[in-house]
Amino acid sequence: MFEFISTLLCFLFSLLWWSLTLFNITTFAATPIAKPGCETSCGNLTVHYPFGIGLDGTCSLSRFYVINCNRTYDPPKPFLAKGNLEVVDISVTGQIRVKSDVARTYYEDGKVVESKSVYTSQTNLYKFPVVFNDTENKVVVIGCDDYGLINGTLGRYFSSGCIVGCSKPVDVINGSCSGIGCCQTSIPKGLKGLSLELYSLNKHEHVSNFNPYGFAFLGNPKNFSFSASDLNDPNFVNRTQDIVPVVLDWFIGVNETCEVAKKNSSAFACQRNSKCINFDGDEGGYRCNCLPGYQGNPYLSPGCTDIDECVGPKNLCSHLCTNTPGSYICSCPKGYHGKTVKKENDHCVKDSSLNVAVVLIATLGSILLPLIGWWLYVVIIKRKAIKQKAKNFQKNGGLLLQHRMSNDEHIVERTKIFTIDELEKATDQFNESRIIGQGGQGTVYKGMLGEGRLVAVKKSTTISESQLGDFINEVVVMSQIIHRSIVKLLGCCLESEVPLLVYEFIPNGTLSNHLHHLNEEFPITWRMRLRIASDSAGALVYLHTSSSIPIFHRDVKSSNILLDDKYRAKLSDFGTSRHVAPDQTHVTTRVMGTFGYLDPEYLQSNHYTEKSDVYSFGVVLLELLTGQKAIRAICEQNRSLVSWFLSHMENSHFLDIVDPQVLNEGSKEEVITIADLAKRCLNLDSKRRPAMKEVLLVLETIESSHFKLPQTDEVQTTQSFKQVLDAGVTKSFYHDNAATSTTFVTESSYPRSAEVSLQFNPR
Ligand SMILES: *[C@@H]1O[C@H](CO)[C@@H](O)[C@H](O)[C@H]1NC(C)=O
Ligand SMILES: *[C@@H]1O[C@H](CO)[C@@H](O)[C@H](O)[C@H]1NC(C)=O
Ligand SMILES: *[C@@H]1O[C@H](CO)[C@@H](O)[C@H](O)[C@H]1NC(C)=O
Ligand SMILES: *[C@@H]1O[C@H](CO)[C@@H](O)[C@H](O)[C@H]1NC(C)=O
Ligand SMILES: *[C@@H]1O[C@H](CO)[C@@H](O)[C@H](O)[C@H]1NC(C)=O
Ligand SMILES: *[C@@H]1O[C@H](CO)[C@@H](O)[C@H](O)[C@H]1NC(C)=O
Ligand SMILES: *[C@@H]1O[C@H](CO)[C@@H](O)[C@H](O)[C@H]1NC(C)=O
Ligand SMILES: *[C@@H]1O[C@H](CO)[C@@H](O)[C@H](O)[C@H]1NC(C)=O
Ligand SMILES: *[C@@H]1O[C@H](CO)[C@@H](O)[C@H](O)[C@H]1NC(C)=O
Ligand SMILES: *[C@@H]1O[C@H](CO)[C@@H](O)[C@H](O)[C@H]1NC(C)=O
């Protein structure tokens, strides 16, 4: 049931919608003419309310406004109330026209033929709320021997008249009713009843040849034009009656004013959107007018309706029109502005391009501003980063390096200045898994450059101003050195927070590690030791003599000797190395180096000479011989390897402390020669120490004689080491330099645990 109702409602609504869409809605909203259910026309007459057709008065405001439509005529004729006044038209603004009564007399030979001497036309509207309009209506008399008398009822007695006389028809002036053949007179204001009497002065005796008729009427003579022929026209009445209607002014509420009438709202005739206007007459009364901007019948509910001034020819706007209740607004189209925009006064002017530009800029701005902001942000961040890099470069001694570079073009050739981006990429953002060495001075990362080249990147811990010199020194010194047994410096990077050094990657770690920590499964053979010793000595000889300016390494020790893939030695760490001017034999500095390796003479004098390097090398020789650390143990009596060795040399028990492996593989002579060489190197008096050249000579002699002996060859050794690695033996190294606190750790997860490379000495 419910469903059915809802479906029905739905159907009805859609029907309503369709009817509203299909039929012009404005036709439904046409202003009403008569009361609902009442006829609107009688014959050709449109009957506007308050007038209404029907003697019972239900269609009119009151009995005074009844239109009697007499249908015995065809077409039907409308009459005002019960009177004989035939209505011509009704205007809602307050006028009604009724057919005029035209009086006629006809004389023949001085006798009245058609009428008695007097023809009376009488109109009495005394009871009706209407008056004769005094400006529209005239009393007109036509003839050449006639006069008209008017009596009126007005509340007070009124009488007036008009006389015409003429002798010849030629005297008549066509179109002019001014006394010859035609006269007219006005009626007073507020006239409600009228009696018109037409008389002849001499019964047309003198004019009968051309004027047998006399005519008179009250009406609007606007459409009447007097002509001489009218004087002799028997059809004048039928011809004229329809074009000279009497104009009556009608009103509401006899003896009432707007102010009084408004008090009885149920009887007040003026409906919505209308204005009450007092009628200017003796009897009072009022009328209703639609307010400006409204149209319709102000006496009929719901009153006046708004005029849509924007539709059709009513639209006075030259551009855009907006209808408002009772009015309308003209406006200029988009992009134009102006005050008056009526058609005849078009003041719409184009908006200045500035406004358009402002709108455009505002629109674009709202879109672009975030983008620009973001772009600026990025630029600022980048600038900041660049600035920071430049600052770091300066802080890290970049200027010092540049200065040094400008003095020596070799540095420029051999030292590359890396960008931080390159190195971050190479070390996977300095990933912890890439760490291959760690010490007091910094961390060493394994890295791979773009071309696949392995490098060791040394990242210093924050270094102070005083250490900066050392750092730059290392760069400068090492960049000048090209030697098979010296770790090659590839370049540096100064843009980072801390300076970075980039070395060639040496896969097999430090000598120190191999001597003191490596497992027995892969011991360093005597043969390898001899080669390491001679390689290292060769490197030192090169430093001391071959390079353009003598260089003291100043930190010769087993942990600064790295082993490459063939277990050949490579000297590293030149942080403390110094150039020495050709005429100088020593440099005076604060004591630097590593305890256990330090020349005692240098300790006393602060004078570092090339013989100080020789002393340190002597200690390395001892390590190679004994396999012991330079500082053996804290608690033992002979803490220092040197003093331990020397004491044994004195007692000729030296062979007791030699590494058993060395004794196994090397001849006694070789061992003793090396021991003797070491002893000479360790002489307290530097002058009695051999030069590095001499040391190298001795070592090379021993090496070459040893290599003549039938021994396990190198290749086999390497292979056996590889086998060990392939067997999956991974080792962790922990090295604690007794003299200092250098810690050297290789991650066990690192694929090749033996590939420990660079270590640098702490200071
Ligand atoms: C509806 O009325 C408007 C204005 O009154 C007129 O222009 C239009 O032609 C009418 N449409 C129909 C279908 O009568
Ligand atoms: C009524 O109107 C028709 C045509 O509009 C016209 O021919 C006729 O004469 C008119 N009748 C009266 C009585 O005005
Ligand atoms: C209509 O007119 C005829 C002829 O003038 C008259 O006899 C009749 O009474 C009229 N009817 C009404 C209702 O006035
Ligand atoms: C008489 O008619 C004229 C023109 O239609 C009008 O302006 C005037 O107000 C009318 N007189 C009266 C008293 O209504
Ligand atoms: C008009 O005046 C004449 C003469 O005074 C008089 O006889 C007649 O009754 C009056 N008519 C009217 C309608 O007042
Ligand atoms: C006036 O009009 C009539 C006919 O309409 C004509 O015969 C006569 O000559 C006219 N008189 C003058 C003075 O124009
Ligand atoms: C005069 O005649 C014209 C057309 O014939 C008509 O529209 C107009 O209403 C008439 N004027 C008067 C006051 O009767
Ligand atoms: C004038 O009209 C009436 C009826 O309307 C008619 O009886 C009469 O004969 C007409 N007069 C002339 C002269 O045509
Ligand atoms: C209007 O008022 C006058 C006097 O004040 C009175 O004589 C007359 O009868 C009144 N008319 C109506 C219709 O009330
Ligand atoms: C108001 O008008 C109505 C209808 O015309 C009438 O019956 C009523 O008495 C009037 N009231 C007053 C206070 O005049």
Side-chain angles (χ1 to χ4, degrees), residues 143-160:
C144 277
D145 183 31
D146 302 275
Y147 67 95
L149 286 179
I150 315 148
N151 288 12
T153 43
L154 187 70
R156 52 187 172 269
Y157 182 71
F158 149 71
S159 185
S160 180

Side-chain angles (χ1 to χ4, degrees), residues 523-547:
I524 302 250
T525 62
W526 175 240
R527 198 179 199 176
M528 287 160 75
R529 292 183 201 212
L530 279 177
R531 185 175 277 179
I532 289 164
S534 63
D535 283 350
S536 313
L540 283 171
V541 168
Y542 170 79
L543 288 176
H544 289 176
T545 60
S546 307
S547 57

